[in-house]
């Protein structure tokens, strides 16, 4: 395995292709979604903003952003499900595009010939929405939670044409990531994942309280209906983020020819060394860490592949042949 490397030094801003650099234009966003206007007010510095500790305000902002920037006319999720911060999620998608370009002669592959797998898409379906709209990729979005899948299907069905680029698949066994999900005929250029962050429900509740207080110092303590919400499996799993990713790595060895690049967000930097050890044990040939940032928040995703450079070239050539033939 090559020594794990970072595709870029530490960063302090969003990706250059990210549509959400700079301040939100709340006047324009409110024009796109009048509902948002009810949550917009002066932030005390003479600037329009919303209360980011209010889940209804954040949900309305997301609806406006998806409509104005990505042409998603219908986006709605059930109460208490995870409401993702769109700028940070978009950075992951753009970072993955750069990753695919790095093994494709520097060119970002676009169009429906690029197949992506979203592990744990949730009710919000955010990675497939952004990836399909930005690059035309075709996504398979997997999820354990049937209620979340039903909400995701509502988003797909509510936006004409989206069903040609986003397909939903249920993972029947919650203890697995790739096993019992992937099929012999599957071929994915990349997999993406936002793993559960916490190791227990109690830890998740405490983390949500801290997040709310960081956003609004005057907010009363709350453990439900917080700004970004989240159901149990979205927020925590036994062993937390580190164990989930180690399971992902172990299972990925059985699908080394099914997925070209495996990737996952890693919220806690202290987990990286254990993740690198697991990837060494799994005999990954190339491991990369891509750093991201949104404001003061630092994040990253780790990517790995079991295929050598010749296999990457053959994979990309085969995809191009299919595209040229109209497949």
């Amino acid at each position: 395995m090559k020594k794990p490397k970072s595709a870029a030094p530490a960063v302090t801003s969003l990706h250059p292709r990210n549509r959400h650099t700079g301040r939100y234009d709340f006047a324009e966003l409110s024009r796109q979604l009048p509902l948002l206007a009810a949550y917009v007010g002066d932030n005390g510095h003479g600037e329009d903003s919303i209360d980011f500790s209010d889940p209804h305000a954040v949900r309305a902002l997301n609806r406006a952003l998806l409509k104005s920037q990505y042409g998603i006319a219908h986006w709605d999720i059930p109460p208490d499900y995870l409401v993702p911060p769109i700028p940070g999620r978009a950075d992951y998608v753009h970072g993955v595009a750069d990753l695919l370009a790095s093994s494709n002669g520097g060119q970002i592959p676009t169009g429906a010939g690029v197949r992506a797998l979203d592990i744990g898409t949730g009710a919000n379906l955010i990675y497939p929405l952004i990836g399909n709209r930005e690059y035309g990729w075709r996504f398979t979005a997997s999820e354990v939670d049937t209620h979340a899948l039903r909400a995701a299907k509502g988003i797909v069905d509510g936006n004409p044409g989206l069903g040609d680029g986003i397909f939903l698949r249920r993972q029947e066994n919650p203890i697995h990531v790739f096993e019992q999900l992937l099929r012999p005929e599957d071929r994915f250029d990349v997999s993406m994942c936002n793993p559960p962050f916490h190791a227990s429900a109690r830890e998740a509740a405490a983390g949500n309280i801290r997040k709310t207080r960081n956003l609004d110092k005057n907010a009363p303590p709350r453990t439900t209906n917080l700004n970004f919400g989240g159901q149990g499996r979205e927020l925590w799993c036994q062993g937390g983020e580190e164990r989930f990713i180690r399971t992902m790595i172990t299972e990925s060895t059985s699908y080394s020819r099914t997925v070209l690049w495996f990737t996952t967000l890693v919220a806690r930097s202290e987990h990286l060394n254990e993740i690198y050890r697991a990837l060494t044990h799994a005999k990954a040939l190339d491991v990369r860490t891509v750093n991201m940032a949104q404001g003061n928040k630092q994040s990253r995703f780790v990517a790995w592949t079991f295929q050598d450079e010749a296999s990457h070239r053959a994979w990309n050539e085969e995809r191009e042949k299919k595209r040229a033939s109209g497949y």
Side-chain angles (χ1 to χ4, degrees):
M1 183 187 78
K2 294 181 180 178
K3 182 180 179 181
K5 62 182 180 180
S6 171
V11 293
T12 58
S13 60
L14 293 171
H15 191 284
R17 291 194 301 276
N18 197 311
R19 296 171 183 257
H20 309 289
T21 57
R23 292 191 57 80
Y24 293 130
D25 185 344
F26 282 102
E28 174 58 22
L29 290 171
S30 296
R31 189 186 70 80
Q32 293 280 341
L33 185 74
L35 170 67
L36 177 64
Y39 300 103
V40 177
D42 190 288
N43 65 359
H45 302 283
E47 300 168 328
D48 284 340
S49 188
I50 64 168
D51 177 2
F52 283 93
S53 68
D54 181 347
H56 303 292
V58 175
R59 185 177 284 105
L61 174 60
N62 274 14
R63 289 177 61 188
L65 289 172
L66 288 167
K67 183 178 181 181
S68 65
Q69 297 298 317
Y70 303 102
I72 303 299
H74 170 76
W75 185 83
D76 194 20
I77 62 175
D80 296 337
Y81 274 81
L82 189 66
V83 184
I86 290 177
R89 298 301 195 256
D91 249 30
Y92 185 10
V93 174
H94 292 304
V96 163
D98 291 342
L99 175 73
L100 294 179
S102 72
S103 58
N104 188 48
Q107 296 296 313
I108 296 173
T110 60
V114 180
R115 307 297 173 90
L117 173 67
D118 181 18
I119 297 294
T121 197
N124 58 75
L125 202 66
I126 200 67
Y127 294 128
L129 292 176
I130 296 175
N132 180 261
R133 285 299 198 240
E134 290 284 26
Y135 299 109
W137 299 340
R138 185 174 294 181
F139 273 81
T140 295
S142 73
E143 178 56 56
V144 171
D145 186 332
T146 55
H147 297 293
L149 270 181
R150 191 176 302 119
K153 185 178 187 300
I155 295 171
V156 172
D157 293 345
N159 291 277
L162 211 54
D164 295 329
I166 300 177
F167 305 89
L168 303 175
R169 187 182 298 181
R170 186 175 180 219
Q171 167 57 277
E172 300 287 345
N173 193 330
I175 71 169
H176 289 307
V177 179
F178 299 112
E179 290 182 19
Q180 300 183 25
L181 174 71
L182 296 182
R183 301 167 181 171
E185 68 273 17
D186 284 334
R187 292 294 181 273
F188 292 105
D189 296 84
V190 67
S191 68
M192 303 178 66
C193 183
N194 181 21
F197 182 75
H198 300 288
S200 68
R202 178 178 295 181
E203 183 182 306
N208 265 341
I209 292 173
R210 287 193 301 271
K211 182 190 292 183
T212 301
R213 287 176 175 170
N214 287 337
L215 290 166
D216 183 357
K217 301 301 183 183
N218 297 316
R222 294 181 293 182
T223 59
T224 59
N225 284 332
L226 296 179
N227 59 324
F228 298 120
Q231 291 292 301
R233 287 193 181 96
E234 294 180 304
L235 298 178
W236 72 274
C237 66
Q238 191 70 35
E241 175 184 76
E242 182 185 317
R243 181 182 292 185
F244 186 95
I245 294 174
R246 283 194 283 112
T247 298
M248 182 185 299
I249 292 168
T250 299
E251 292 190 7
S252 71
T253 62
S254 298
Y255 301 96
S256 61
R257 300 295 163 181
T258 302
V259 180
L260 186 62
W261 281 105
F262 298 88
T263 77
T264 181
L265 286 178
V266 181
R268 294 179 172 174
S269 60
E270 60 266 29
H271 292 163
L272 287 172
N273 285 337
E274 182 58 37
I275 289 168
Y276 294 151
R277 280 192 287 271
L279 287 165
T280 298
H281 180 75
K283 296 182 170 56
L285 293 182
D286 192 354
V287 175
R288 307 186 188 186
T289 303
V290 178
N291 296 315
M292 302 179 291
Q294 182 182 354
N296 293 325
K297 181 180 179 181
Q298 300 293 312
S299 62
R300 78 283 307 153
F301 70 87
V302 171
W304 66 97
T305 183
F306 297 99
Q307 301 194 37
D308 59 20
E309 292 181 4
S311 297
H312 277 256
R313 287 195 298 271
W315 183 294
N316 291 322
E317 289 169 1
E318 180 64 22
R319 184 183 58 232
E320 181 59 24
K321 287 179 183 177
K322 290 180 178 180
R323 186 199 65 80
S325 65
Y327 175 75

